[in-house]
Amino acid sequence: MSAPVFLVPTERLAAAGPGDTLLVDGAEGRHAVSVRRLRVGEEVVLTDGAGNGARTRVAAVEGKDTLHAVVLERTAEPEAPLRLTVVQALPKGDRGELAVETMTEVGVDAVVPWSASRCVTQWRGERAAKSLARWRASAREAGKQARRLRFPTVHELMTTDQVSELLATADLGVVLHEEGAAPLATAPLPARGSIVLVVGPEGGLTEEEVATFAAAGARPHRLGPSVLRTSTAGVAAAASVFTRTGRWA
């Protein structure tokens, strides 16, 4: 069984080498001690979520929320030469968190919440802040569960114009669209740089959105013969891309 993963601050991790002791406290320490009930001698992986990590062994446990771990080996997860950002239209209910969770598990590098014209759900005011926090928490917990050292960035909510600007800077911009002329599996992929992939809402993209994204250089592509829900299309598309880029080799 793989060692569990816990988050520690970058500055704390950066200062520790083999033989040094790292402190795990706060919410992470509570989860390690009171929920996972880790004991002296067990191995754990500590990371800052930014690609830096350490394989460690529990040296001591204090109270209900403090753990000390000795560093056995420093590890790292380098940034991928070809980064994948998924622009996710806001789904209904908790399906947004599900989308972020599964996309994190397959290895997406960044997620952008998008307020599309036909989104039933809208983020405004306090609700926007709480919803964004839940998406980020989903990415963090899924990153730990997937044993990633580099967690995806969950950006602030973007408008259609902001998404268009993001697409214009990408090496490849893709819009998932059921009327896309070519399957994503046959789209030419760059070897390096960035791919930005747009997942529309349950109600579909408007003609204006498709035109705006096309003007930014993004082309429509379909995943396959069936139409996926917005909360599952992103993970399916990411899997299709990663099988062709060497990320899953």
Side-chain angles (χ1 to χ4, degrees), residues 46-139:
L46 303 181
T47 180
D48 60 359
N52 305 301
R55 185 171 66 87
T56 72
R57 179 173 290 116
V58 178
V61 174
E62 297 177 6
K64 298 181 178 180
D65 61 1
T66 304
L67 180 146
H68 300 272
V70 175
V71 176
L72 304 176
E73 178 187 20
R74 290 296 304 268
T75 57
E77 181 180 325
E79 187 171 333
L82 181 61
R83 289 175 52 82
L84 176 60
T85 295
V86 176
V87 176
Q88 174 67 59
L90 303 179
K92 294 181 289 186
D94 61 357
R95 298 191 71 86
E97 289 128 79
L98 173 64
V100 173
E101 177 183 333
T102 53
M103 288 190 290
T104 299
E105 289 172 358
V106 301
V108 164
D109 299 293
V111 179
V112 175
W114 169 41
S115 183
S117 295
R118 291 175 176 165
C119 284
V120 174
T121 297
Q122 295 294 327
W123 287 6
R124 296 189 180 91
E126 186 177 346
R127 179 179 184 177
K130 290 182 177 179
S131 297
L132 181 61
R134 286 196 295 269
W135 279 37
R136 287 174 170 168
S138 292

Side-chain angles (χ1 to χ4, degrees), residues 146-240:
R147 310 298 195 264
R148 291 181 63 171
L149 299 184
R150 187 177 295 276
F151 298 173
T153 301
V154 179
H155 292 276
E156 298 282 342
L157 179 69
M158 287 192 184
T159 64
T160 297
D161 286 343
Q162 289 172 322
V163 171
S164 179
E165 292 173 2
L166 182 65
L167 286 165
T169 65
D171 294 281
L172 174 64
V174 173
V175 178
L176 293 185
H177 192 28
E178 59 192 87
E179 297 179 3
L184 178 61
T186 63
L189 303 179
R192 306 182 67 84
S194 65
I195 297 175
V196 176
L197 188 149
V198 178
V199 178
E202 297 288 359
L205 298 165
T206 65
E207 292 183 3
E208 292 78 8
E209 288 166 342
V210 174
T212 297
F213 296 153
R219 297 184 177 182
H221 287 276
R222 55 183 169 82
L223 278 173
S226 59
V227 178
L228 278 66
R229 298 196 66 168
T230 186
S231 54
T232 54
V235 67
S240 175

